[in-house]
Amino acid sequence: MLVFFLGFMINREHLCSSNHPFVTPIVPHTIQSITHSSLAKMTFEGKIYFKNIDYAAKDFGNRYHLMPSAVLHPKSVSDISTIVKYIFDLGPSSELTVAARGHGHSLLGQAQAHQGIVINMESLRVSEMSFHTGKHSYVDVSAGELWINILHESLKRGLAPKSWTDYLHLTVGGTLSNAGISGQAFKHGPQINNVYQLQVVTGRGEVATCSEEENTDLFHAVLGGLGQFGIITQARIALEPAPKMVKWIRALYSDFSTFTNDQEHLISSANSFDYIEGFVIINRTGLLNNWRLSFNPKDPVQANQFTSEGKILFCLEVAKYYNPEESNHIDEEIDALLSELSYIQSTLFLSEVSYVDFLDRVHVSEIKLREKGLWDVTHPWLNLLIPRSKIHEFAQEVFRNILKDTSNGPVLIYPVNKSRWKYGTSLITPEEDVFYLVAFLSSAIPSSTGKDGLEHILTQNNKILNFCGRPHLGIKQYLPHYSSLEEWKAHFGAHWEVFHRRKLTYDPLAILAPGQRIFRRTTAFGLQ
């Protein structure tokens, strides 16, 4: 009966978003005034700002610009708990919502709160990083901490987290709210697999510690939970001994089946590489020459004879971690692994870099793009999780019929093994044990009406999504975005009831993460 009663407290209709995301909805001035005056009277260890907060209405996607009423810069978990509890106590008559914002790398306004409160999580400093070494080493960190900072601090102790994202200048809370998938996920699972404990502020303003042993349902709900059940304020991250060096390798394939067979072979091998990814190359010229900036060809003569013009090619990208004292036999291990693969021999390129340089490789590109003014453009990215049994059907339609070139940004493609992932989290994946992550990481050139313009890329993405919508494919979105509640229900499938029950339990007034546009803020019923 309690669940039945609480069910009335969430208007489960989707929060409609405009087809013109740059247009900010208009809210009566009286609501803004009341919000300002009430919040201005509150006391925080940190500070709350009402002016010069435009940055909180922007993100990496650069498509949704929704202005909040205020931005809180917390200095303690108590600051976050206080403001959430205050809004919760206002009851369903209030329309205030709260969004936790990390490094602003969301794509579609997921960390924005229109006329609500944005919490700048990078301001939160629960304590200095606290390291524990032993059989199960770990570090306790603030959820607003960047992964790149954790890397540098843990390396001072010869340790490092097990699983990464490709880009490290993201906050812990942000990636754990989604999953954190990269080329190590086949081996260690995503980042949500490598967390021992969380501290969370629920939608009721309550502070809770959760783990596999304590408040287990909340622990699983928050991991991959899109911010719907609580704001992560602290995390205990699993660590392992850190390597110092990396052998970084690329090779090309012209046949998709051969490419995927080799990728799947590598992720299922007992002794394999430590990182396995791949990407698609369509209609690119001078490809191997570009690689020479960071890689060396295994056979320079053969590499000079290879041309990529007009072809659809697939690149395998792998890495092997090691320490200098292992250098005598690491090349033998790599040669043995490569001998089992069927790549185009003339396209084998190798590089040797430090562990830090490898993990932080995307930041090098960021610096170059910022210098050219091309980092803060619009990024209409599309991330998909595709069952192994359907990857060939997907590739045939998308890579040969829909996607005409890959000059607007990389197209990643690599398999992961779900059997090694944590069961029971909020993350939704295809039903099969092996599935592929395919990520279209496009950048749109401002004011362009051509193939590199936003409208063209969005049209292309919609064609891909329309194809993916065929029920027999079983494809899921990663970093999902949908335009109706029915689509969200379809995304969660059999897991929807659990997801909805958790929302009723931990955020019954739908205060948290309004930018995900799953639940509408409660306005009809009171809470008892």
Side-chain angles (χ1 to χ4, degrees):
M1 287 299 294
L2 177 61
V3 172
F4 179 79
F5 173 75
L6 288 175
F8 284 98
M9 299 180 55
I10 292 182
N11 179 343
R12 291 182 291 173
E13 292 181 3
H14 174 74
L15 177 58
C16 296
S17 58
S18 170
N19 290 327
H20 304 281
F22 286 107
V23 178
T24 299
I26 298 173
V27 172
H29 180 69
T30 53
I31 295 178
Q32 298 183 42
S33 299
I34 294 171
T35 300
H36 186 291
S37 61
S38 59
L39 293 174
K41 296 176 182 177
M42 299 180 67
T43 301
F44 300 102
E45 293 179 44
K47 293 183 179 180
I48 190 164
Y49 296 91
F50 303 94
K51 296 180 180 180
N52 301 319
I53 57 175
D54 291 11
Y55 71 91
K58 300 176 183 178
D59 57 27
F60 184 71
N62 200 22
R63 291 179 59 200
Y64 284 75
H65 296 165
L66 304 175
M67 279 293 294
S69 292
V71 175
L72 174 66
H73 288 241
K75 290 301 179 186
S76 66
V77 176
S78 177
D79 281 352
I80 298 174
S81 173
T82 295
I83 200 163
V84 175
K85 189 175 189 307
Y86 168 77
I87 296 172
F88 180 79
D89 288 343
L90 291 176
S93 62
S94 171
E95 297 181 2
L96 279 176
T97 55
V98 174
R101 184 182 195 273
H103 205 52
H105 209 75
S106 296
L107 297 173
L108 293 160
Q110 288 95 335
Q112 297 177 29
H114 177 241
Q115 294 303 320
I117 313 301
V118 169
I119 300 178
N120 187 331
M121 296 302 294
E122 288 189 90
S123 296
L124 178 65
R125 289 292 178 266
V126 177
S127 62
E128 295 296 323
M129 295 184 204
S130 177
F131 287 85
H132 172 85
T133 57
K135 184 178 180 181
H136 300 290
S137 297
Y138 62 80
V139 58
D140 288 324
V141 298
S142 164
E145 192 62 79
L146 298 181
W147 284 99
I148 183 64
N149 296 336
I150 298 173
L151 173 63
H152 287 305
E153 287 300 314
S154 59
L155 284 178
K156 294 176 182 178
R157 297 157 178 84
L159 300 168
K162 299 177 181 180
S163 190
W164 300 96
T165 52
D166 287 330
Y167 180 62
L168 303 189
H169 296 252
L170 305 170
T171 60
V172 169
T175 64
L176 296 184
S177 294
N178 289 283
I181 301 175
S182 185
Q184 301 90 0
F186 80 96
K187 188 173 185 179
H188 297 293
Q191 289 181 319
I192 59 174
N193 260 52
N194 299 280
V195 183
Y196 293 142
Q197 182 177 288
L198 297 172
Q199 183 187 68
V200 175
V201 176
T202 72
R204 299 171 180 269
E206 299 168 345
V207 181
T209 298
C210 55
S211 65
E212 291 287 2
E213 294 77 31
E214 180 181 6
N215 293 319
T216 307
D217 184 66
L218 177 61
F219 185 63
H220 289 163
V222 170
L223 293 173
L226 307 177
Q228 291 299 303
F229 313 109
I231 298 172
I232 301 172
T233 53
Q234 192 169 358
R236 179 166 291 176
I237 308 296
L239 302 175
E240 65 177 359
K244 294 181 179 178
M245 298 297 296
V246 175
K247 295 281 188 177
W248 186 7
I249 302 164
R250 287 178 178 173
L252 292 175
Y253 294 72
S254 58
D255 180 71
F256 186 70
S257 293
T258 305
F259 170 68
T260 55
N261 286 342
D262 278 0
Q263 281 192 318
E264 291 171 21
H265 166 71
L266 288 175
I267 70 165
S268 63
S269 299
N271 179 34
S272 187
F273 291 99
D274 297 294
Y275 162 97
I276 300 170
E277 287 196 8
F279 50 94
V280 183
I281 304 137
I282 302 176
N283 200 24
R284 298 278 293 277
T285 60
L287 178 66
L288 297 189
N289 285 334
N290 292 334
W291 285 8
R292 293 175 191 272
L293 297 174
S294 304
F295 294 82
N296 296 313
K298 180 77 171 180
D299 188 324
V301 175
Q302 289 190 28
N304 286 335
Q305 297 171 354
F306 180 84
T307 59
S308 60
E309 287 76 1
K311 299 178 181 179
I312 299 177
L313 298 168
F314 307 95
C315 176
L316 174 68
E317 184 172 54
V318 295
K320 190 73 172 176
Y321 306 156
Y322 71 102
N323 290 312
E325 59 269 22
E326 303 170 308
S327 58
N328 290 336
H329 61 81
I330 194 68
D331 287 335
E332 294 179 4
E333 288 186 26
I334 291 174
D335 288 341
L337 288 168
L338 292 176
S339 69
E340 301 172 355
L341 308 180
S342 301
Y343 54 88
I344 301 171
Q345 294 292 317
S346 62
T347 67
L348 184 63
F349 275 62
L350 306 96
S351 182
E352 185 173 339
V353 296
S354 71
Y355 184 58
V356 172
D357 286 345
F358 174 72
L359 291 180
D360 202 27
R361 61 197 179 279
V362 177
H363 187 54
V364 176
S365 299
E366 176 188 354
I367 293 171
K368 294 177 181 178
L369 290 171
R370 285 190 182 278
E371 291 174 349
K372 298 177 181 179
L374 296 176
W375 181 256
D376 294 321
V377 299
T378 303
H379 297 96
W381 287 8
L382 177 62
N383 298 272
L384 303 170
L385 304 176
I386 301 170
R388 174 182 177 272
S389 65
K390 300 299 188 292
I391 191 64
H392 292 274
E393 184 177 349
F394 174 89
Q396 179 65 33
E397 176 64 19
V398 174
F399 300 146
R400 295 191 179 276
N401 296 330
I402 298 177
L403 196 65
K404 301 304 181 183
D405 63 61
T406 54
S407 60
N408 296 326
V411 178
L412 304 183
I413 177 169
Y414 56 91
V416 293
N417 189 338
K418 190 170 66 173
S419 63
R420 302 177 185 179
W421 293 29
K422 188 188 298 290
Y423 177 78
T425 69
S426 292
L427 176 65
I428 297 300
T429 63
E431 295 297 325
E432 297 179 13
D433 284 342
V434 174
F435 60 87
Y436 280 75
L437 183 143
V438 181
F440 301 86
L441 308 182
S442 302
S443 298
I445 301 302
S447 303
S448 173
T449 57
K451 292 183 178 180
D452 56 359
L454 178 61
E455 291 304 318
H456 175 81
I457 297 172
L458 290 178
T459 298
Q460 183 173 269
N461 286 354
N462 286 334
K463 289 180 180 179
I464 295 171
L465 286 172
N466 287 338
F467 171 76
C468 293
R470 301 178 185 183
H472 77 282
L473 294 175
I475 295 173
K476 299 294 183 181
Q477 284 190 36
Y478 176 57
L479 309 177
H481 173 78
Y482 298 101
S483 58
S484 73
L485 181 64
E486 292 308 313
E487 288 177 312
W488 277 110
K489 286 184 176 181
H491 171 76
F492 285 102
H495 301 278
W496 171 256
E497 292 304 321
V498 172
F499 191 83
H500 182 245
R501 173 189 61 77
R502 286 171 169 172
K503 185 69 173 179
L504 294 174
T505 302
Y506 302 115
D507 183 26
L509 298 184
I511 292 169
L512 302 178
Q516 296 287 357
R517 301 171 183 84
I518 305 175
F519 301 99
R520 186 188 294 273
R521 177 72 160 94
T522 299
T523 57
F525 298 93
L527 177 66
Q528 296 181 357

